[in-house]
Amino acid sequence: MKRSKVGIVGCGNISKIYFTNLKSYPEVEVVACADLDLERAKARAAEFDVPKAMQVDELLADPDIDIVVNLTIPQAHAQICIQAMEHGKHVYVEKPLAVTREEGLAMLETARRHGVRLASAPETFLGGGIQTVRKLIDEGAIGTPISVTGFVMFGGHEMWHPDPEFYYKVGGGPMFDMGPYYLTAFVNLLGPIRRVTGSAVISYPERTITSQPKHGQVIKVETPTHIAGVIDFESGAVGTLITSFDTKGGSTLPNIEMHGSSGSLLIPDPNNFGGVVKLRKAGSRDWEEIPLTHGNTDNNRGIGVADMARAIAEDRPHRASGEMAYHVLEAMHGFHVASAEGKHYIMQSTCERPAPMDAL
């Protein structure tokens, strides 16, 4: 199989795991990297033996590059992805797909117009934990899925993050920070969403940074920090997702639980690739730990890029699709809209449930 040549845009902290992991996938070859700070790109190129460090515009136009991996900040996702696709590149972008629904739709339209592929993180749903759950559901282990609940509950980033302001600006908040992991897992397990509703509040209008190096700086909060959402899936299942930066005393709530007509599942943290899966059949008093049926249980960021490269070669749909990422983006906005307007938000988009990964 011909290896796809990859260029990485954005050489910040998260890029390290991509540079490391992409070297191990036979489907791809990293041939260039770029950053607004060219010296940072040169440093990453030297660290990971990448042949070329380039300016961003130069990389996006390079005819030797097949796939652009966009690891920039969310506010730059749409601009860089669209520019890359207009140069005929396939694109894989970090989560969320974009900041606004309008940007996301423009990205999808650009991909269609130029006949290229658009893929997006999170790809953690391709890991052994969520894929084991997918297999159990598809095989009927809990009967007909009825409900799913997910919880992201902690006290906020200002206590530990060196640069936490972004998390409290438009495009941030707990829903846009962690919601993509949970909602992508939900769609993978249960299929697309029909409508959402919920309540979203800013509990504290200001936050004081207690971490270094910005200790004492005050952040004005511009986006909801506690969102309680309800999801109606097209399948008929009902979901609940609570994301919060306001849980100052911590929480004992599970990551995800799913309940069906003949059993229940404890589902691992969708921010990770592995984790513990537990099943409790109707009538049983005990939870049974289920051995993982799939691999990819470490930090396998980059697997979505490799899957897209293989899908291109095999002429099949890639799993971390732009359509699913946009569907998730629309749902996240839908919670905010529903709260502001006091109604259900009816989803305008849909997507295909991605194909499961092969078991071990």
Side-chain angles (χ1 to χ4, degrees):
M1 178 173 54
K2 177 182 176 291
R3 301 179 79 186
S4 293
K5 293 183 178 181
V6 171
I8 295 177
V9 177
C11 295
N13 286 338
I14 197 173
S15 69
K16 285 188 175 183
I17 191 65
Y18 280 91
F19 280 109
T20 298
N21 287 352
L22 288 175
K23 291 173 73 73
S24 67
Y25 289 112
E27 296 89 351
V28 296
E29 177 187 6
V30 179
V31 298
C33 62
D35 194 278
L36 288 176
D37 181 350
L38 183 57
E39 293 306 311
R40 183 157 61 177
K42 288 179 178 177
R44 282 284 188 262
E47 182 180 1
F48 292 99
D49 196 27
V50 176
K52 293 185 288 187
M54 314 165 77
Q55 298 285 355
V56 173
D57 288 347
E58 184 184 4
L59 186 149
L60 298 180
D62 189 328
D64 290 334
I65 292 172
D66 304 307
I67 297 173
V68 169
V69 176
N70 183 357
L71 307 181
T72 60
I73 61 173
Q75 287 81 355
H77 283 182
Q79 177 186 347
I80 288 175
C81 288
I82 288 172
Q83 188 176 344
M85 290 186 289
E86 287 176 341
H87 283 292
K89 315 299 184 194
H90 307 289
V91 173
Y92 181 93
V93 61
E94 251 299 331
K95 61 86 184 171
L97 178 70
V99 172
T100 70
R101 288 167 288 178
E102 292 77 13
E103 288 175 338
L105 287 172
M107 293 163 73
L108 291 174
E109 174 56 30
T110 303
R112 284 192 289 265
R113 188 168 67 252
H114 290 276
V116 295
R117 305 224 184 185
L118 175 62
S120 178
E123 59 204 329
T124 45
F125 75 96
L126 300 176
I130 299 299
Q131 287 295 314
T132 296
V133 174
R134 170 71 182 267
K135 187 172 188 292
L136 288 167
I137 293 169
D138 289 352
E139 291 176 349
I142 61 168
T144 301
I146 294 170
S147 67
V148 64
T149 58
F151 302 95
V152 183
M153 314 289 283
F154 63 103
H157 291 74
E158 70 274 18
M159 297 178 288
W160 61 272
H161 198 284
D163 194 25
E165 294 99 320
F166 159 75
Y167 293 98
Y168 299 100
K169 304 301 181 184
V170 175
M175 182 57 70
F176 281 80
D177 179 31
M178 294 301 296
Y181 296 103
Y182 283 73
L183 290 167
T184 301
F186 286 3
V187 171
N188 172 62
L189 297 175
L190 294 174
I193 298 165
R194 182 172 65 86
R195 68 178 187 176
V196 300
T197 192
S199 294
V201 297
I202 296 175
S203 299
Y204 308 98
E206 294 182 343
R207 300 268 183 151
T208 301
I209 299 174
T210 57
S211 60
Q212 297 296 340
K214 297 186 176 182
H215 187 279
Q217 181 174 320
V218 175
I219 304 169
K220 292 191 180 300
V221 180
E222 299 175 359
T223 193
T225 52
H226 185 96
I227 301 97
V230 178
I231 306 159
D232 293 325
F233 293 91
E234 289 182 6
S235 67
V238 174
T240 303
L241 178 61
I242 301 178
T243 64
S244 181
F245 287 167
D246 301 337
T247 314
K248 300 298 186 180
S251 170
T252 60
L253 291 166
N255 294 118
I256 303 176
E257 287 189 2
M258 185 178 292
H259 306 282
S261 58
S262 60
S264 298
L265 285 163
L266 293 180
I267 300 173
D269 185 350
N271 188 24
N272 298 323
F273 285 83
V276 175
V277 176
K278 292 186 177 182
L279 169 68
R280 184 175 177 180
K281 300 291 287 185
S284 173
R285 293 186 177 184
D286 300 314
W287 290 96
E288 173 191 3
E289 183 171 336
I290 304 298
L292 298 188
T293 55
H294 292 67
N296 302 314
T297 57
D298 297 323
N299 187 343
N300 288 100
R301 280 176 170 81
I303 190 173
V305 182
D307 178 70
M308 181 169 68
R310 180 171 287 276
I312 293 167
E314 296 175 351
D315 192 26
R316 61 162 173 83
H318 55 282
R319 292 177 171 88
S321 71
E323 288 77 12
M324 181 168 65
Y326 177 77
H327 192 61
V328 166
L329 176 68
E330 186 188 7
M332 293 193 297
H333 277 286
F335 293 124
H336 290 175
V337 171
S339 178
E341 299 183 2
K343 65 179 186 181
H344 279 92
Y345 174 86
I346 307 300
M347 296 287 287
Q348 302 300 301
S349 68
T350 190
C351 65
E352 294 293 327
R353 192 176 178 224
M357 298 287 281
D358 293 334
L360 292 173

